[in-house]
Amino acid sequence: MASRKLKITLIALVFLVGGITIYLLYNSKPYAHIRRAEATYILSAGNLIADYDKDEALANKKYSESIIEVSGRISEIKKVMEYHVISLYGNETESGIICHMLPEENSKVTRLQKEQQITLKGVCTGYLIDVMMIKCILKD
Amino acid sequence: MNKTITLILILIVRIGCAQEPDQYITRQGQASFFSYTSVENIQATNNQVLSIIDLSKKEIAVSMLMRAFVFEKSLMEEHFNESYIESDIYPKATFQGQIQDFDPSINGEQTRIVKGQLTIHGVTRETEIKTKIEKTGRTYVLSGDFELRIKDYEIKVPPILARNIAKTISVTFSFKYIPYEK
């Protein structure tokens, strides 16, 4: 009898722990890891674009999906729905870096101005005409 | 495939630069998709879509990075990129097509069919998309929505998650084009 009770308690416990784990996994604050994580690469906007211009496949292997820290001058700030999108100048070419900011950066972004030099951290997603970054936060 | 699309994009851009530009560009177009099921609703948005239209040829080319889709929950994003879309192998979705009966000189609104090839997950299919075109001054806005069946693009969902992901996904887009002057 006692062992049956123990079994039921154990099974219930397993379900409870499993349930909590799944709940936490699905509902954890999105993208909190970006703020915590150290950037894998720290470089200037110009150098990042130069790497993609030279060899897109190689640069993709290196930067795509990595958290990187990029410094550059702001060419444009736009608001798209609840997000801000900051564009950085590249080299003399027409390419730049388009950075999709996390919504919690909104108040900081509204204080920025065109031509200002900034550093931001985010996930590099690849290259079209511009290098794309998402989930970006501003570095102080 | 991706190289070809990029080449076509560049060609559209380079050829025939007269006084009034024939090419219009957006670098931050928006594309979203929605999956509605009784179990859960999933939505993701990409605000970094690149597209170029050529007014004289009535051609359109669109390219987007799959990893630039942002989800509400990071686990969904992981599933999307790693299991379904396989973004490492197929990083881009592209579309190239012709805008049927398009008259670029009409100010205001016109609704046209865009016919072309849509490539997702490495699978290319002929697609027709009803598109609203709005001209205001020197900008064009192309917007619309359509549905696609994930089976058509060989996107496989594991049976355990089959009830969470709709078989037909709704896609909406809005691209605001400005003159492309180099």
Side-chain angles (χ1 to χ4, degrees):
Chain A
M1 195 63 187
S3 88
R4 199 172 157 217
K5 240 186 188 169
L6 189 72
K7 243 187 209 166
I8 291 171
T9 318
L10 270 178
I11 288 170
L13 206 69
V14 166
F15 271 101
L16 189 71
V17 170
I20 290 173
T21 313
I22 288 170
Y23 177 83
L24 286 178
L25 266 177
Y26 263 99
N27 291 285
S28 56
K29 194 166 187 247
Y31 318 124
H33 65 282
I34 305 236
R35 209 171 288 279
R36 287 196 308 268
E38 286 286 323
T40 318
Y41 297 98
I42 299 174
L43 71 175
S44 71
N47 285 345
L48 180 61
I49 292 165
D51 276 1
Y52 269 99
D53 266 343
K54 218 171 12 183
D55 188 338
E56 187 182 340
L58 193 74
N60 250 334
K61 219 173 252 171
K62 188 170 167 187
Y63 300 117
S64 184
E65 270 306 271
S66 297
I67 296 180
I68 59 171
E69 203 175 296
V70 179
S71 307
R73 209 154 44 86
I74 300 175
S75 61
E76 193 188 25
I77 304 172
K78 258 177 51 173
K79 185 140 197 241
V80 186
M81 292 177 288
E82 71 268 43
Y83 306 100
H84 279 97
V85 180
I86 298 180
S87 305
L88 300 178
Y89 289 108
N91 310 322
E92 302 83 60
T93 61
E94 57 169 335
S95 300
I97 296 181
I98 298 179
C99 314
H100 185 141
M101 306 302 293
L102 281 176
E104 54 253 44
E105 295 294 292
N106 277 355
S107 62
K108 278 196 217 164
V109 175
T110 47
R111 290 198 289 271
L112 296 176
Q113 277 169 358
K114 247 178 116 168
E115 305 298 329
Q116 200 175 328
Q117 182 77 24
I118 55 164
T119 301
L120 31 83
K121 188 164 81 170
V123 180
C124 181
T125 57
Y127 182 60
L128 294 169
I129 283 184
D130 306 286
V131 176
M132 304 294 187
M133 286 177 67
I134 57 170
K135 303 171 201 163
C136 297
I137 58 164
L138 282 162
K139 288 276 287 185
D140 301 318
Chain B
M1 189 62 200
N2 284 330
K3 275 251 155 36
T4 323
I5 302 290
T6 314
L7 273 178
I8 288 165
L9 272 173
I10 291 167
L11 269 178
I12 291 177
V13 172
R14 308 261 159 167
I15 294 171
C17 268
Q19 305 85 359
E20 184 67 9
D22 272 339
Q23 285 86 29
Y24 281 67
I25 187 169
T26 179
R27 293 166 181 234
Q28 294 176 35
Q30 291 149 44
S32 301
F33 68 78
F34 308 89
S35 153
Y36 301 112
T37 66
S38 55
V39 181
E40 68 177 331
N41 296 330
I42 299 169
Q43 176 182 348
T45 303
N46 185 335
N47 288 319
Q48 302 175 329
V49 180
L50 169 69
S51 175
I52 292 162
I53 46 175
D54 186 303
L55 299 185
S56 61
K57 296 198 188 87
K58 298 171 187 175
E59 283 174 353
I60 177 168
V62 182
S63 184
M64 70 186 81
L65 294 165
M66 299 317 282
R67 286 202 186 275
F69 276 98
V70 176
F71 290 69
E72 215 175 301
K73 290 169 186 163
S74 44
L75 195 66
M76 286 177 180
E77 192 169 311
E78 225 168 84
H79 281 157
F80 172 77
N81 282 308
E82 279 159 26
S83 310
Y84 311 143
I85 284 291
E86 301 173 278
S87 301
D88 281 339
I89 310 169
Y90 313 107
K92 289 173 190 174
T94 56
F95 178 82
Q96 55 181 108
Q98 284 269 338
I99 310 170
Q100 311 287 302
D101 309 315
F102 175 41
D103 184 352
S105 64
I106 296 177
N107 268 304
E109 216 180 289
Q110 52 185 315
T111 301
R112 296 287 177 264
I113 297 288
V114 182
K115 225 174 172 171
Q117 289 94 39
L118 176 63
T119 305
I120 302 171
H121 194 230
V123 178
T124 302
R125 293 184 71 93
E126 281 293 327
T127 310
E128 286 187 14
I129 301 167
K130 196 169 146 193
T131 304
K132 189 168 92 179
I133 305 168
E134 283 173 277
K135 183 187 181 202
T136 325
R138 292 186 83 206
T139 65
Y140 289 86
V141 177
L142 267 65
S143 61
D145 54 82
F146 61 97
E147 297 199 325
L148 52 88
R149 291 190 306 170
I150 57 172
K151 210 174 80 189
D152 289 346
Y153 293 90
E154 292 170 22
I155 298 163
K156 290 181 188 80
V157 175
I160 191 165
L161 285 171
R163 288 181 58 225
N164 297 54
I165 291 155
K167 292 184 173 55
T168 304
I169 306 283
S170 313
V171 181
T172 65
F173 61 92
S174 178
F175 302 152
K176 185 178 180 183
Y177 296 85
I178 54 168
Y180 189 56
E181 286 150 313
K182 286 160 69 84

